[in-house]
């Protein structure tokens, strides 16, 4: 990870201040540089004589951009004096700028500004677009008055099912938890359908569905953990606990994260609708979580 970095989007808002604080702490944990990106979102113009080009910012716009990145750099260095900080002002809109500045071993951090349900579902806010399309994991940091709820990673929650995506999300969660030798909470949930009377079925000699699901869940999580831990260095020290529940996945993850520092989700679980940028579980967590949410985009890290 020598060449990796933490990339954070800033725009001067309270939300980006919270993201900057979290990103600074994470860059120090990883021992990498913090890459501060400010996007101007200049419109494209298409000329009859050449390809599309972006409008150039006015002197006033450039001055405002310089003030935003300088302020962010000073804040990061004050929060974490040992941190190496680089800054970039990009002409593109924020999602494109952040994605272009990032590589597979990096981490993108941004605030949860503008994460309205309808907009996120049909248009794609900055957070959702980046979380769906980035080449690396993306952390969306909710803000309370310009501060993140936490900058620690002592307790990390991850949701798993039987998809390949879940195995990758679990691997990312183990990596994050290993940074602090913290506790990993693995959540596997299911909603048990009862088309028949379970009491009558049990009396007739059928095994209750929840018993079957409990056994399947136990086997699934054990297999996933064994698989992921085999890929880890031998010195990785992570405490693991498992939560099995019949709640829906979003409620289960939010409940398990009551005392946690971050929630890890894959960008697309089973049964997500084609064409949506993120699966329903990721969307639900992003909209409701009070703590940082780490999303592993569908095509990030795919060769693992």
């Amino acid at each position: 990870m020598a060449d990796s970095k933490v990339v954070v989007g800033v725009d001067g808002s309270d939300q980006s201040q919270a993201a900057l604080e979290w990103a600074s702490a994470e860059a120090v944990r990883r021992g990498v540089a913090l890459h501060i990106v400010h996007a101007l979102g200049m419109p494209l113009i298409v000329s009859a004589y050449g390809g599309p080009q972006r409008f150039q910012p006015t002197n006033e716009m450039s001055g405002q951009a310089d003030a935003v990145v300088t302020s962010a750099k000073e804040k990061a260095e004050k929060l974490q004096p040992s941190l190496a900080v680089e800054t970039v002002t990009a002409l593109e809109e924020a999602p494109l700028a952040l994605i272009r500045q990032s590589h597979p071993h990096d981490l993108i951090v941004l605030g949860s500004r503008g994460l309205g349900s309808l907009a996120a579902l049909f248009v794609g806010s900055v957070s959702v677009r980046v979380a769906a399309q980035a080449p690396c994991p993306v952390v969306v940091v909710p803000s309370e008055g310009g501060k993140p709820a936490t900058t620690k990673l002592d307790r990390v929650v991850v949701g798993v099912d039987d998809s390949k995506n879940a195995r990758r999300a679990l691997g990312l969660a183990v990596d994050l938890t290993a940074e602090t030798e913290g506790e990993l909470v693995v959540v596997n949930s299911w909603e048990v359908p009862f088309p028949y009377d379970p009491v009558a079925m049990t009396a007739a000699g059928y095994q209750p569905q929840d018993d079957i699901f409990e056994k399947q869940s136990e086997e699934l999580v054990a297999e996933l953990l064994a698989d992921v831990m085999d890929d880890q260095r031998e010195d990785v020290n992570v405490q693991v606990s498992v939560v099995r529940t019949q709640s829906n996945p979003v409620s289960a993850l939010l409940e398990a994260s009551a005392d946690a520092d971050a929630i890890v989700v894959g960008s697309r679980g089973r049964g997500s609708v084609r064409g949506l940028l993120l699966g329903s579980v990721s969307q639900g967590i992003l909209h409701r979580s009070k703590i940082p949410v780490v999303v592993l985009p569908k095509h990030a890290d795919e060769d693992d």
Side-chain angles (χ1 to χ4, degrees), residues 120-145:
L121 216 53
F122 297 111
V123 181
S125 69
V126 172
S127 310
V128 171
R129 276 186 63 191
V130 175
Q133 298 168 355
C136 61
V138 176
V139 185
V140 180
V141 181
S143 167
E144 284 287 330

Side-chain angles (χ1 to χ4, degrees), residues 3 62 66 121 131 135 183 202 210 215-216 249 299 304:
D3 296 324
S62 293
D66 288 345
L121 216 53
E183 181 192 358
T202 306
D210 49 352
K215 186 171 185 297
Q216 287 177 337
H299 54 281
D304 281 5

Side-chain angles (χ1 to χ4, degrees), residues 159-167 187-189 220 224 269-270:
V160 301
D161 57 20
D162 60 359
S163 67
K164 178 185 175 188
N165 198 43
R167 185 214 171 280
V187 178
N188 180 226
S189 69
L220 166 70
L224 278 172
R270 295 177 305 170

Side-chain angles (χ1 to χ4, degrees), residues 145-211:
K147 302 280 291 179
T150 172
T151 58
K152 297 186 296 183
L153 276 181
D154 295 336
R155 192 166 191 261
V156 176
V157 173
V158 59
V160 301
D161 57 20
D162 60 359
S163 67
K164 178 185 175 188
N165 198 43
R167 185 214 171 280
R168 294 168 57 244
L170 179 59
L172 172 59
V174 170
D175 287 343
L176 288 170
T177 315
E179 289 178 14
T180 61
E181 298 192 341
E183 181 192 358
L184 177 64
V185 182
V186 181
V187 178
N188 180 226
S189 69
W190 66 88
E191 292 172 296
V192 182
F194 281 118
Y196 309 106
D197 177 1
V199 176
M201 296 280 285
T202 306
Y206 291 98
Q207 190 176 0
Q209 271 185 305
D210 49 352
D211 285 0

Side-chain angles (χ1 to χ4, degrees), residues 38-56:
H38 178 55
L40 288 172
M42 302 303 293
L44 277 170
I45 45 173
V46 181
S47 148
Y49 307 104
Q53 291 186 321
R54 292 194 183 269
F55 273 114
Q56 292 300 304

